[in-house]
Amino acid sequence: MIVVIAVTKIIVEMIKRFRSWLANYRHFLLSWYTKDSQATQEPEKSLVELPSELREKLVNRVQNLPDHPTEKEAIVSALNENFTRWCDNPNNTNNSIVILSSPVATASRILTKTLQQWSEEKQIKIELLEITARPTNIETIKSKLEHYIQPKALEDDSEKEELEILVIPNLSWCFLRSLEGLAGIEYVQSLLCDGSKNRFWIIGAGQVGWQYLNLICNIEAYCGRVLTLPKIESEQLQEWFEPIIEEFDIVFDDPSFEQKFLDKDKDNKTKYFDRLAGISQGVSIIAIQIFLGSIGYKKIDDNEDKDDTNESSQPESKQPIAKMPSLPGLPPLEPDDQFILYSLILHGDLTISALAESLGDEQSEVQARVQILRRQGVIEQKDKVLKINPIHYPALKQELANNNFIIHRE
Amino acid sequence: MNMTTYLLAQSATNAAQETAEQTKELVSKITTGKVAQGIFILLTAYLIIKILDRVVIWLSEKIAKEWRLRVKQFLPFLRMLVLTTTIVVLMNLFLNLSKENILAVTGTVAVALGFAFKDYASSIIAGIVGIFESPYGVGDRVKIGEHYGEVISYGLRSISIQTPDDNIITIPHNKMWTEAISNANTGALEAQVVTKFYFAHDVDISLVKKILYRVAQTSKYTALKLPIVVVMAEKPWGTMFKLKCYPLDARDEFVYQTDLITRAKIAFAKHQLVYPAISAIEQE
C-alpha cells in the first residue's frame, strides 16, 4: 500500500515537473512552430464574406468604440494618488508619473483624453507639450523641447511661480535611436531633477521604448512612479464589445474539440472572450483587430440545407457569426526585417527617413524591405508614418524575444 | 634455480602458444558474411553521422537564435554515441567479446595505435577530453594559433572553423595540449567586439567617450543587456580608445564593427576631432 502511494506521488511529481518544463520551454517549442508557418492571413479576411455595407458599418462601429474604462480608471487612480502625494511634499523624487502602454496602442490619445477630464474635475490647468509627432529633422528635437519646456526657478524662488502640470503625451516623439536623437531625452532628464517645486510631470511612453531608455540612460531613476496600463480581462472585453454584439446580433461559433473538453461549464461566448483576452494579451487595439478578423457568415452546405428545415437554416445564414479568435501567422522574417520591426516597436511610429536613421542604413535599402513587409501585412502606413500592424504584435514580440532583442516576454 | 628458469620459460611458451591458438580461432571465425555485415554497419554509421550533422545544423539554424548554440553543441555527443555504438557492435561481431578477448584486443590496439598512429590517437583522445572540458564547441568563435573563426563542425579527430574570409580550416584536437585556445563566446550567442580608435593627445576625452558610448548604445546590433565599456591607453603618438561591446549575434561581429566605426567617424568629423599625426606613428 505504502509503495503504491509512493509511486503515485512520484508520478504526480513527474507530471508537475513536466508541466512546469512545458511552461518554461513553450517559447522554444512555439518559436519552432511560428517559424514554420508560411501562410499569411489577412486580418480582416473573414469580413470579405459579409456584405460590404455591413462590413463597413461593423468596422466603423468597432473602431469608434470608446477607450476602455479599465485603462482610464488605472490612469486616474494612479494620478490622484501621486499628485496628492506630490502636493503634500513637493520634491524632485516624486514629481512625475510615467504611464506605459503597449507599443502598438495609441497611449497619447488615451492619456490626453483622460487628462482633459481629470483636469476639469480637479479644476487644475494642465500644459500639454505641443509636439504631436517626432520632428523631421532629428537634430531639432532638443531645441524644440527647449522652446516648449523651459527650466523652472530653483527652490528658493519657487514660491513666486505658479504650479504647472506638464504632460508629455508620447515620450517616443522626443527621441530617436541615433547619435543626435537622444539629446532631447538628456534635456528632459536634466529638467526632471532641476530642483523646481512647481512642476509636476505626466509622461506617456511605449513599454519597449522605455525599456531601451532605461538601459542606456537609466531614465526610470529620474521619475517618481511608473505605471504600466493593466491588461483587459475576459469579462471586461465582453462588456466592452456587448453593444456591438447586440447591435449586429452576433452569435458565437462552437469552439474546437479540446476547448470544449477543457471548459465544459462555459458557454461559447465566454470561451470566445477568454481566448480573445489571452491572445490579445489584454491590449484593446489588438483585441479589436482580432475581433474584426473573427466575424463572418457561416457557410451552409447544400446537404445541410436539405437535412435541416428551412426555418432553422435560413436565419442562420444571414446572421454574423464570431469564429473562435486566432492570431494570423507571421511571415518568415529575414534578420534585416527583424531590425526594422524592432525599431518600429521601439519608437511606436516612424517615417521612412527616421527609420533609416535609427537603423544606420541607407533609406533606399530600408524602403525595399519595408515595401515587402507592408505587402505581407506586418507594417501599416498611414500618410507617411509607418507602424506595426497590431494584430501581428503578439507573435512578433515572441519572435524578437527569441532572437535576443530586448523586449519583454509575456 | 635452473629448474625455476625452465618452468618459467615453459609457462611463457605455453602462454604464447595459447594466444596464438586464440588468435587463430578468432581469425577462423571471420567469414565473408561477417565482413559484409561489418561493411554494412560501417556504412550505416557513416550515413547516420552525416544525417545527424545535417539535421542538427539545419535545426539549429531554423529555431530561435538563443537556442542555436545549445543545439549545435549537442552534435559531438551524438557523433560520439554513434561511433562508440558502432565500435562495440563491430567488436562483438568479429571478436566475440569475452573478458579475455577484450583485454587482449585492447592491449594490442593500444600498442599498435601508440606506435603507428600516435598523433591520430592523441587527437582522438583530445577530442573526447574536449567534449567534457569544452574549450570550444560548435558555434563558438575561437582563435587557435593564427586562425580565427566560427567552429562549424566537431569531428572525431579535428574541428573545422570558418574564417571571416569564408575559408574552412581543419585543426586537429591535439592542438589542445600545446596551443592556447581563445574562445570569444563559450556557448553564448554574444561575443565581445573591441574596436580601437586613435586620437591626438590634446583631444577632448570626455567628448570622445560620450560619442563612443552613444555609438554603441544606438547601434541596431548592440546587445544592450551586456556592458558597454570605453577604455583608454596612452601611446607616444597619441591616445588610443577601445570601445568594448557585444552584438546581439556573434556572427554579426564584423558588420557590427563596421557600423560602429562608420557612425563614430561621422560624429568625429562633425566635431572636428584631431587624429594622431601619421609621421609620428611611422617614426615609432
Side-chain angles (χ1 to χ4, degrees), chain A residues 25 28 32 35 179-180 186 212 216 339 361 402-404 409, chain B residues 62 64-67 190 210 214 217-218 220 224-225 248 270:
Chain A
Y25 285 82
F28 171 64
W32 168 242
K35 278 244 174 192
L179 264 176
E180 309 291 339
E186 284 171 1
Y212 170 73
I216 64 158
F339 288 124
D361 291 337
N402 285 342
N403 284 288
N404 216 12
R409 264 195 183 119
Chain B
K62 285 281 169 191
K65 257 184 204 167
E66 60 177 343
W67 291 90
E190 309 90 354
K210 188 180 175 186
R214 279 285 180 259
Q217 287 165 344
T218 56
K220 66 177 177 181
L224 289 168
K225 63 182 177 191
L248 288 168
K270 193 177 170 187

PDB file of all heavy atoms in Angstrom, chain A residues 25 28 32 35 179-180 186 212 216 339 361 402-404 409, chain B residues 62 64-67 190 210 214 217-218 220 224-225 248 270:
ATOM      1  N   TYR A  25       9.498  26.030 -21.348  1.00  0.00           N
ATOM      2  CA  TYR A  25      10.106  25.875 -22.661  1.00  0.00           C
ATOM      3  C   TYR A  25       9.120  26.075 -23.807  1.00  0.00           C
ATOM      4  O   TYR A  25       9.422  25.780 -24.941  1.00  0.00           O
ATOM      5  CB  TYR A  25      10.779  24.504 -22.767  1.00  0.00           C
ATOM      6  CG  TYR A  25      12.064  24.459 -22.001  1.00  0.00           C
ATOM      7  CD1 TYR A  25      12.063  24.244 -20.633  1.00  0.00           C
ATOM      8  CD2 TYR A  25      13.279  24.693 -22.625  1.00  0.00           C
ATOM      9  CE1 TYR A  25      13.239  24.245 -19.904  1.00  0.00           C
ATOM     10  CE2 TYR A  25      14.461  24.682 -21.916  1.00  0.00           C
ATOM     11  CZ  TYR A  25      14.433  24.450 -20.555  1.00  0.00           C
ATOM     12  OH  TYR A  25      15.600  24.456 -19.843  1.00  0.00           O
ATOM     13  N   PHE A  28      10.381  28.077 -26.719  1.00  0.00           N
ATOM     14  CA  PHE A  28      11.234  27.350 -27.639  1.00  0.00           C
ATOM     15  C   PHE A  28      10.390  26.526 -28.606  1.00  0.00           C
ATOM     16  O   PHE A  28      10.580  26.563 -29.808  1.00  0.00           O
ATOM     17  CB  PHE A  28      12.170  26.449 -26.838  1.00  0.00           C
ATOM     18  CG  PHE A  28      12.956  25.487 -27.682  1.00  0.00           C
ATOM     19  CD1 PHE A  28      13.867  25.965 -28.590  1.00  0.00           C
ATOM     20  CD2 PHE A  28      12.775  24.128 -27.550  1.00  0.00           C
ATOM     21  CE1 PHE A  28      14.596  25.088 -29.375  1.00  0.00           C
ATOM     22  CE2 PHE A  28      13.492  23.251 -28.318  1.00  0.00           C
ATOM     23  CZ  PHE A  28      14.412  23.728 -29.241  1.00  0.00           C
ATOM     24  N   TRP A  32       9.547  27.406 -32.794  1.00  0.00           N
ATOM     25  CA  TRP A  32       9.717  26.497 -33.907  1.00  0.00           C
ATOM     26  C   TRP A  32       8.469  26.516 -34.770  1.00  0.00           C
ATOM     27  O   TRP A  32       8.516  26.597 -35.987  1.00  0.00           O
ATOM     28  CB  TRP A  32      10.004  25.106 -33.368  1.00  0.00           C
ATOM     29  CG  TRP A  32       9.912  24.047 -34.412  1.00  0.00           C
ATOM     30  CD1 TRP A  32       9.059  23.008 -34.454  1.00  0.00           C
ATOM     31  CD2 TRP A  32      10.712  23.958 -35.592  1.00  0.00           C
ATOM     32  NE1 TRP A  32       9.275  22.272 -35.572  1.00  0.00           N
ATOM     33  CE2 TRP A  32      10.275  22.823 -36.297  1.00  0.00           C
ATOM     34  CE3 TRP A  32      11.740  24.718 -36.118  1.00  0.00           C
ATOM     35  CZ2 TRP A  32      10.836  22.437 -37.489  1.00  0.00           C
ATOM     36  CZ3 TRP A  32      12.298  24.330 -37.322  1.00  0.00           C
ATOM     37  CH2 TRP A  32      11.846  23.204 -37.982  1.00  0.00           C
ATOM     38  N   LYS A  35       8.051  29.828 -36.753  1.00  0.00           N
ATOM     39  CA  LYS A  35       8.984  29.948 -37.868  1.00  0.00           C
ATOM     40  C   LYS A  35       8.479  29.188 -39.074  1.00  0.00           C
ATOM     41  O   LYS A  35       8.746  29.550 -40.205  1.00  0.00           O
ATOM     42  CB  LYS A  35      10.343  29.356 -37.470  1.00  0.00           C
ATOM     43  CG  LYS A  35      11.164  30.327 -36.681  1.00  0.00           C
ATOM     44  CD  LYS A  35      12.392  30.667 -37.448  1.00  0.00           C
ATOM     45  CE  LYS A  35      13.157  31.752 -36.748  1.00  0.00           C
ATOM     46  NZ  LYS A  35      14.188  32.296 -37.575  1.00  0.00           N
ATOM     47  N   LEU A 179      22.665  58.902 -33.048  1.00  0.00           N
ATOM     48  CA  LEU A 179      23.641  59.684 -32.286  1.00  0.00           C
ATOM     49  C   LEU A 179      23.082  61.018 -31.793  1.00  0.00           C
ATOM     50  O   LEU A 179      23.305  61.418 -30.668  1.00  0.00           O
ATOM     51  CB  LEU A 179      24.864  59.936 -33.161  1.00  0.00           C
ATOM     52  CG  LEU A 179      26.014  58.974 -32.965  1.00  0.00           C
ATOM     53  CD1 LEU A 179      27.109  59.260 -33.945  1.00  0.00           C
ATOM     54  CD2 LEU A 179      26.547  59.041 -31.546  1.00  0.00           C
ATOM     55  N   GLU A 180      22.346  61.692 -32.668  1.00  0.00           N
ATOM     56  CA  GLU A 180      21.829  63.010 -32.311  1.00  0.00           C
ATOM     57  C   GLU A 180      20.460  62.914 -31.647  1.00  0.00           C
ATOM     58  O   GLU A 180      19.982  63.897 -31.090  1.00  0.00           O
ATOM     59  CB  GLU A 180      21.679  63.876 -33.575  1.00  0.00           C
ATOM     60  CG  GLU A 180      22.913  63.938 -34.449  1.00  0.00           C
ATOM     61  CD  GLU A 180      24.049  64.693 -33.794  1.00  0.00           C
ATOM     62  OE1 GLU A 180      23.775  65.482 -32.874  1.00  0.00           O
ATOM     63  OE2 GLU A 180      25.209  64.483 -34.181  1.00  0.00           O
ATOM     64  N   GLU A 186      18.079  63.680 -22.800  1.00  0.00           N
ATOM     65  CA  GLU A 186      19.039  64.236 -21.824  1.00  0.00           C
ATOM     66  C   GLU A 186      18.490  65.542 -21.249  1.00  0.00           C
ATOM     67  O   GLU A 186      18.611  65.803 -20.049  1.00  0.00           O
ATOM     68  CB  GLU A 186      20.386  64.493 -22.499  1.00  0.00           C
ATOM     69  CG  GLU A 186      21.176  63.226 -22.736  1.00  0.00           C
ATOM     70  CD  GLU A 186      22.411  63.455 -23.593  1.00  0.00           C
ATOM     71  OE1 GLU A 186      22.667  64.604 -23.986  1.00  0.00           O
ATOM     72  OE2 GLU A 186      23.108  62.468 -23.875  1.00  0.00           O
ATOM     73  N   TYR A 212      14.304  50.541 -23.431  1.00  0.00           N
ATOM     74  CA  TYR A 212      15.545  50.950 -24.111  1.00  0.00           C
ATOM     75  C   TYR A 212      16.165  52.158 -23.400  1.00  0.00           C
ATOM     76  O   TYR A 212      17.363  52.152 -23.085  1.00  0.00           O
ATOM     77  CB  TYR A 212      15.223  51.276 -25.584  1.00  0.00           C
ATOM     78  CG  TYR A 212      16.358  51.923 -26.324  1.00  0.00           C
ATOM     79  CD1 TYR A 212      17.477  51.193 -26.704  1.00  0.00           C
ATOM     80  CD2 TYR A 212      16.321  53.291 -26.646  1.00  0.00           C
ATOM     81  CE1 TYR A 212      18.529  51.794 -27.375  1.00  0.00           C
ATOM     82  CE2 TYR A 212      17.372  53.895 -27.318  1.00  0.00           C
ATOM     83  CZ  TYR A 212      18.470  53.146 -27.684  1.00  0.00           C
ATOM     84  OH  TYR A 212      19.518  53.743 -28.345  1.00  0.00           O
ATOM     85  N   ILE A 216      19.908  52.549 -21.528  1.00  0.00           N
ATOM     86  CA  ILE A 216      21.011  53.418 -21.958  1.00  0.00           C
ATOM     87  C   ILE A 216      21.176  54.668 -21.100  1.00  0.00           C
ATOM     88  O   ILE A 216      22.275  55.183 -20.984  1.00  0.00           O
ATOM     89  CB  ILE A 216      20.927  53.786 -23.453  1.00  0.00           C
ATOM     90  CG1 ILE A 216      19.665  54.618 -23.728  1.00  0.00           C
ATOM     91  CG2 ILE A 216      20.981  52.587 -24.352  1.00  0.00           C
ATOM     92  CD1 ILE A 216      19.826  55.418 -24.990  1.00  0.00           C
ATOM     93  N   PHE A 339      15.375  43.712 -37.553  1.00  0.00           N
ATOM     94  CA  PHE A 339      15.899  45.011 -37.105  1.00  0.00           C
ATOM     95  C   PHE A 339      14.890  46.128 -37.399  1.00  0.00           C
ATOM     96  O   PHE A 339      14.674  47.009 -36.570  1.00  0.00           O
ATOM     97  CB  PHE A 339      17.236  45.319 -37.801  1.00  0.00           C
ATOM     98  CG  PHE A 339      18.379  44.476 -37.308  1.00  0.00           C
ATOM     99  CD1 PHE A 339      19.129  43.700 -38.174  1.00  0.00           C
ATOM    100  CD2 PHE A 339      18.726  44.464 -35.957  1.00  0.00           C
ATOM    101  CE1 PHE A 339      20.190  42.924 -37.720  1.00  0.00           C
ATOM    102  CE2 PHE A 339      19.789  43.687 -35.494  1.00  0.00           C
ATOM    103  CZ  PHE A 339      20.513  42.916 -36.381  1.00  0.00           C
ATOM    104  N   ASP A 361      21.152  52.768 -41.711  1.00  0.00           N
ATOM    105  CA  ASP A 361      21.223  52.227 -43.074  1.00  0.00           C
ATOM    106  C   ASP A 361      20.785  53.286 -44.089  1.00  0.00           C
ATOM    107  O   ASP A 361      20.222  54.308 -43.726  1.00  0.00           O
ATOM    108  CB  ASP A 361      20.289  51.010 -43.217  1.00  0.00           C
ATOM    109  CG  ASP A 361      20.781  49.819 -42.433  1.00  0.00           C
ATOM    110  OD1 ASP A 361      21.993  49.767 -42.153  1.00  0.00           O
ATOM    111  OD2 ASP A 361      19.957  48.960 -42.079  1.00  0.00           O
ATOM    112  N   ASN A 402      12.845  35.809 -28.885  1.00  0.00           N
ATOM    113  CA  ASN A 402      13.594  34.579 -29.173  1.00  0.00           C
ATOM    114  C   ASN A 402      14.920  34.862 -29.860  1.00  0.00           C
ATOM    115  O   ASN A 402      15.836  34.061 -29.815  1.00  0.00           O
ATOM    116  CB  ASN A 402      12.789  33.672 -30.105  1.00  0.00           C
ATOM    117  CG  ASN A 402      11.667  32.982 -29.390  1.00  0.00           C
ATOM    118  OD1 ASN A 402      11.660  32.900 -28.171  1.00  0.00           O
ATOM    119  ND2 ASN A 402      10.686  32.518 -30.134  1.00  0.00           N
ATOM    120  N   ASN A 403      14.971  36.006 -30.549  1.00  0.00           N
ATOM    121  CA  ASN A 403      16.191  36.334 -31.290  1.00  0.00           C
ATOM    122  C   ASN A 403      17.056  37.351 -30.572  1.00  0.00           C
ATOM    123  O   ASN A 403      17.786  38.107 -31.210  1.00  0.00           O
ATOM    124  CB  ASN A 403      15.829  36.783 -32.702  1.00  0.00           C
ATOM    125  CG  ASN A 403      15.457  35.596 -33.558  1.00  0.00           C
ATOM    126  OD1 ASN A 403      16.305  34.809 -33.948  1.00  0.00           O
ATOM    127  ND2 ASN A 403      14.170  35.426 -33.796  1.00  0.00           N
ATOM    128  N   ASN A 404      16.936  37.362 -29.252  1.00  0.00           N
ATOM    129  CA  ASN A 404      17.867  38.109 -28.405  1.00  0.00           C
ATOM    130  C   ASN A 404      17.617  39.618 -28.358  1.00  0.00           C
ATOM    131  O   ASN A 404      18.448  40.355 -27.856  1.00  0.00           O
ATOM    132  CB  ASN A 404      19.310  37.832 -28.869  1.00  0.00           C
ATOM    133  CG  ASN A 404      20.272  37.769 -27.721  1.00  0.00           C
ATOM    134  OD1 ASN A 404      19.846  37.709 -26.569  1.00  0.00           O
ATOM    135  ND2 ASN A 404      21.557  37.816 -27.997  1.00  0.00           N
ATOM    136  N   ARG A 409       9.048  39.602 -22.500  1.00  0.00           N
ATOM    137  CA  ARG A 409       8.238  38.428 -22.861  1.00  0.00           C
ATOM    138  C   ARG A 409       7.011  38.360 -21.981  1.00  0.00           C
ATOM    139  O   ARG A 409       7.041  38.769 -20.843  1.00  0.00           O
ATOM    140  CB  ARG A 409       9.034  37.142 -22.613  1.00  0.00           C
ATOM    141  CG  ARG A 409       9.705  36.622 -23.820  1.00  0.00           C
ATOM    142  CD  ARG A 409      10.137  35.188 -23.526  1.00  0.00           C
ATOM    143  NE  ARG A 409      10.858  34.687 -24.666  1.00  0.00           N
ATOM    144  CZ  ARG A 409      12.117  34.281 -24.630  1.00  0.00           C
ATOM    145  NH1 ARG A 409      12.783  34.310 -23.522  1.00  0.00           N
ATOM    146  NH2 ARG A 409      12.706  33.829 -25.709  1.00  0.00           N
TER     147      ARG A 409
ATOM    148  N   LYS B  62      17.280  26.948 -37.859  1.00  0.00           N
ATOM    149  CA  LYS B  62      15.857  27.241 -38.035  1.00  0.00           C
ATOM    150  C   LYS B  62      15.224  27.793 -36.767  1.00  0.00           C
ATOM    151  O   LYS B  62      14.335  28.634 -36.821  1.00  0.00           O
ATOM    152  CB  LYS B  62      15.094  25.965 -38.449  1.00  0.00           C
ATOM    153  CG  LYS B  62      15.322  25.575 -39.888  1.00  0.00           C
ATOM    154  CD  LYS B  62      14.470  26.415 -40.817  1.00  0.00           C
ATOM    155  CE  LYS B  62      14.880  26.240 -42.261  1.00  0.00           C
ATOM    156  NZ  LYS B  62      14.249  27.230 -43.136  1.00  0.00           N
ATOM    157  N   ALA B  64      14.861  29.460 -32.774  1.00  0.00           N
ATOM    158  CA  ALA B  64      15.214  30.771 -32.222  1.00  0.00           C
ATOM    159  C   ALA B  64      16.720  30.853 -31.978  1.00  0.00           C
ATOM    160  O   ALA B  64      17.342  29.871 -31.573  1.00  0.00           O
ATOM    161  CB  ALA B  64      14.463  30.977 -30.918  1.00  0.00           C
ATOM    162  N   LYS B  65      17.264  32.066 -32.215  1.00  0.00           N
ATOM    163  CA  LYS B  65      18.707  32.260 -32.122  1.00  0.00           C
ATOM    164  C   LYS B  65      19.274  31.846 -30.773  1.00  0.00           C
ATOM    165  O   LYS B  65      20.352  31.302 -30.671  1.00  0.00           O
ATOM    166  CB  LYS B  65      19.019  33.733 -32.343  1.00  0.00           C
ATOM    167  CG  LYS B  65      19.564  34.049 -33.690  1.00  0.00           C
ATOM    168  CD  LYS B  65      19.915  35.506 -33.750  1.00  0.00           C
ATOM    169  CE  LYS B  65      19.891  35.987 -35.190  1.00  0.00           C
ATOM    170  NZ  LYS B  65      19.926  37.433 -35.262  1.00  0.00           N
ATOM    171  N   GLU B  66      18.512  32.141 -29.711  1.00  0.00           N
ATOM    172  CA  GLU B  66      19.030  31.879 -28.372  1.00  0.00           C
ATOM    173  C   GLU B  66      19.296  30.395 -28.130  1.00  0.00           C
ATOM    174  O   GLU B  66      20.021  30.033 -27.219  1.00  0.00           O
ATOM    175  CB  GLU B  66      18.073  32.441 -27.321  1.00  0.00           C
ATOM    176  CG  GLU B  66      16.692  31.843 -27.388  1.00  0.00           C
ATOM    177  CD  GLU B  66      15.774  32.359 -26.302  1.00  0.00           C
ATOM    178  OE1 GLU B  66      16.256  32.928 -25.322  1.00  0.00           O
ATOM    179  OE2 GLU B  66      14.546  32.164 -26.441  1.00  0.00           O
ATOM    180  N   TRP B  67      18.689  29.533 -28.960  1.00  0.00           N
ATOM    181  CA  TRP B  67      18.886  28.085 -28.795  1.00  0.00           C
ATOM    182  C   TRP B  67      19.921  27.537 -29.762  1.00  0.00           C
ATOM    183  O   TRP B  67      20.239  26.346 -29.712  1.00  0.00           O
ATOM    184  CB  TRP B  67      17.554  27.355 -29.006  1.00  0.00           C
ATOM    185  CG  TRP B  67      16.583  27.618 -27.912  1.00  0.00           C
ATOM    186  CD1 TRP B  67      15.659  28.619 -27.853  1.00  0.00           C
ATOM    187  CD2 TRP B  67      16.452  26.906 -26.683  1.00  0.00           C
ATOM    188  NE1 TRP B  67      14.973  28.564 -26.679  1.00  0.00           N
ATOM    189  CE2 TRP B  67      15.427  27.518 -25.947  1.00  0.00           C
ATOM    190  CE3 TRP B  67      17.107  25.792 -26.148  1.00  0.00           C
ATOM    191  CZ2 TRP B  67      15.056  27.066 -24.693  1.00  0.00           C
ATOM    192  CZ3 TRP B  67      16.723  25.346 -24.890  1.00  0.00           C
ATOM    193  CH2 TRP B  67      15.702  25.983 -24.191  1.00  0.00           C
ATOM    194  N   GLU B 190      26.381  35.956 -27.755  1.00  0.00           N
ATOM    195  CA  GLU B 190      27.104  37.220 -27.946  1.00  0.00           C
ATOM    196  C   GLU B 190      28.600  37.017 -27.706  1.00  0.00           C
ATOM    197  O   GLU B 190      28.987  36.189 -26.893  1.00  0.00           O
ATOM    198  CB  GLU B 190      26.612  38.293 -26.956  1.00  0.00           C
ATOM    199  CG  GLU B 190      25.106  38.497 -26.923  1.00  0.00           C
ATOM    200  CD  GLU B 190      24.424  37.597 -25.915  1.00  0.00           C
ATOM    201  OE1 GLU B 190      25.083  36.738 -25.318  1.00  0.00           O
ATOM    202  OE2 GLU B 190      23.194  37.743 -25.740  1.00  0.00           O
ATOM    203  N   LYS B 210      31.893  60.156 -24.781  1.00  0.00           N
ATOM    204  CA  LYS B 210      30.437  60.279 -24.920  1.00  0.00           C
ATOM    205  C   LYS B 210      29.987  59.782 -26.293  1.00  0.00           C
ATOM    206  O   LYS B 210      29.013  59.033 -26.411  1.00  0.00           O
ATOM    207  CB  LYS B 210      30.012  61.736 -24.723  1.00  0.00           C
ATOM    208  CG  LYS B 210      28.510  61.894 -24.670  1.00  0.00           C
ATOM    209  CD  LYS B 210      28.056  63.291 -24.481  1.00  0.00           C
ATOM    210  CE  LYS B 210      26.536  63.312 -24.571  1.00  0.00           C
ATOM    211  NZ  LYS B 210      25.987  64.638 -24.536  1.00  0.00           N
ATOM    212  N   ARG B 214      27.563  56.561 -27.039  1.00  0.00           N
ATOM    213  CA  ARG B 214      26.328  56.765 -27.805  1.00  0.00           C
ATOM    214  C   ARG B 214      26.315  55.910 -29.082  1.00  0.00           C
ATOM    215  O   ARG B 214      25.278  55.360 -29.459  1.00  0.00           O
ATOM    216  CB  ARG B 214      26.179  58.243 -28.192  1.00  0.00           C
ATOM    217  CG  ARG B 214      25.630  59.099 -27.084  1.00  0.00           C
ATOM    218  CD  ARG B 214      24.122  58.857 -26.930  1.00  0.00           C
ATOM    219  NE  ARG B 214      23.562  59.678 -25.874  1.00  0.00           N
ATOM    220  CZ  ARG B 214      23.277  59.247 -24.654  1.00  0.00           C
ATOM    221  NH1 ARG B 214      23.480  57.985 -24.332  1.00  0.00           N
ATOM    222  NH2 ARG B 214      22.754  60.054 -23.757  1.00  0.00           N
ATOM    223  N   GLN B 217      25.404  52.514 -27.966  1.00  0.00           N
ATOM    224  CA  GLN B 217      24.031  52.447 -27.453  1.00  0.00           C
ATOM    225  C   GLN B 217      22.982  52.588 -28.552  1.00  0.00           C
ATOM    226  O   GLN B 217      21.839  52.163 -28.376  1.00  0.00           O
ATOM    227  CB  GLN B 217      23.815  53.557 -26.415  1.00  0.00           C
ATOM    228  CG  GLN B 217      24.512  53.270 -25.099  1.00  0.00           C
ATOM    229  CD  GLN B 217      24.608  54.501 -24.225  1.00  0.00           C
ATOM    230  OE1 GLN B 217      24.435  55.631 -24.679  1.00  0.00           O
ATOM    231  NE2 GLN B 217      24.894  54.295 -22.951  1.00  0.00           N
ATOM    232  N   THR B 218      23.343  53.221 -29.659  1.00  0.00           N
ATOM    233  CA  THR B 218      22.351  53.446 -30.709  1.00  0.00           C
ATOM    234  C   THR B 218      22.534  52.529 -31.915  1.00  0.00           C
ATOM    235  O   THR B 218      21.816  52.672 -32.902  1.00  0.00           O
ATOM    236  CB  THR B 218      22.386  54.919 -31.178  1.00  0.00           C
ATOM    237  OG1 THR B 218      23.722  55.217 -31.598  1.00  0.00           O
ATOM    238  CG2 THR B 218      21.975  55.877 -30.095  1.00  0.00           C
ATOM    239  N   LYS B 220      21.974  49.285 -34.033  1.00  0.00           N
ATOM    240  CA  LYS B 220      20.895  48.276 -34.058  1.00  0.00           C
ATOM    241  C   LYS B 220      21.406  46.898 -33.655  1.00  0.00           C
ATOM    242  O   LYS B 220      20.633  46.035 -33.264  1.00  0.00           O
ATOM    243  CB  LYS B 220      20.244  48.225 -35.443  1.00  0.00           C
ATOM    244  CG  LYS B 220      21.156  47.738 -36.548  1.00  0.00           C
ATOM    245  CD  LYS B 220      20.423  47.648 -37.875  1.00  0.00           C
ATOM    246  CE  LYS B 220      21.365  47.241 -38.981  1.00  0.00           C
ATOM    247  NZ  LYS B 220      20.727  47.157 -40.283  1.00  0.00           N
ATOM    248  N   LEU B 224      22.137  45.278 -25.601  1.00  0.00           N
ATOM    249  CA  LEU B 224      22.201  46.287 -24.537  1.00  0.00           C
ATOM    250  C   LEU B 224      22.175  45.694 -23.131  1.00  0.00           C
ATOM    251  O   LEU B 224      22.468  46.375 -22.162  1.00  0.00           O
ATOM    252  CB  LEU B 224      21.059  47.292 -24.706  1.00  0.00           C
ATOM    253  CG  LEU B 224      21.220  48.225 -25.899  1.00  0.00           C
ATOM    254  CD1 LEU B 224      19.935  48.978 -26.170  1.00  0.00           C
ATOM    255  CD2 LEU B 224      22.351  49.215 -25.683  1.00  0.00           C
ATOM    256  N   LYS B 225      21.795  44.426 -23.037  1.00  0.00           N
ATOM    257  CA  LYS B 225      21.767  43.820 -21.696  1.00  0.00           C
ATOM    258  C   LYS B 225      23.191  43.530 -21.199  1.00  0.00           C
ATOM    259  O   LYS B 225      23.386  43.240 -20.026  1.00  0.00           O
ATOM    260  CB  LYS B 225      20.905  42.564 -21.686  1.00  0.00           C
ATOM    261  CG  LYS B 225      21.429  41.479 -22.557  1.00  0.00           C
ATOM    262  CD  LYS B 225      20.507  40.286 -22.550  1.00  0.00           C
ATOM    263  CE  LYS B 225      21.049  39.245 -23.514  1.00  0.00           C
ATOM    264  NZ  LYS B 225      20.166  38.173 -23.795  1.00  0.00           N
ATOM    265  N   LEU B 248      24.215  41.517 -30.825  1.00  0.00           N
ATOM    266  CA  LEU B 248      23.134  40.580 -30.471  1.00  0.00           C
ATOM    267  C   LEU B 248      23.493  39.157 -30.889  1.00  0.00           C
ATOM    268  O   LEU B 248      23.110  38.190 -30.251  1.00  0.00           O
ATOM    269  CB  LEU B 248      21.847  40.984 -31.194  1.00  0.00           C
ATOM    270  CG  LEU B 248      21.141  42.239 -30.697  1.00  0.00           C
ATOM    271  CD1 LEU B 248      20.067  42.661 -31.681  1.00  0.00           C
ATOM    272  CD2 LEU B 248      20.536  42.039 -29.323  1.00  0.00           C
ATOM    273  N   LYS B 270      32.216  65.626 -37.511  1.00  0.00           N
ATOM    274  CA  LYS B 270      31.321  66.741 -37.179  1.00  0.00           C
ATOM    275  C   LYS B 270      31.934  67.618 -36.075  1.00  0.00           C
ATOM    276  O   LYS B 270      31.826  68.839 -36.105  1.00  0.00           O
ATOM    277  CB  LYS B 270      29.976  66.170 -36.725  1.00  0.00           C
ATOM    278  CG  LYS B 270      28.901  67.206 -36.664  1.00  0.00           C
ATOM    279  CD  LYS B 270      27.604  66.562 -36.285  1.00  0.00           C
ATOM    280  CE  LYS B 270      26.586  67.650 -35.980  1.00  0.00           C
ATOM    281  NZ  LYS B 270      25.373  67.093 -35.450  1.00  0.00           N
TER     282      LYS B 270
END
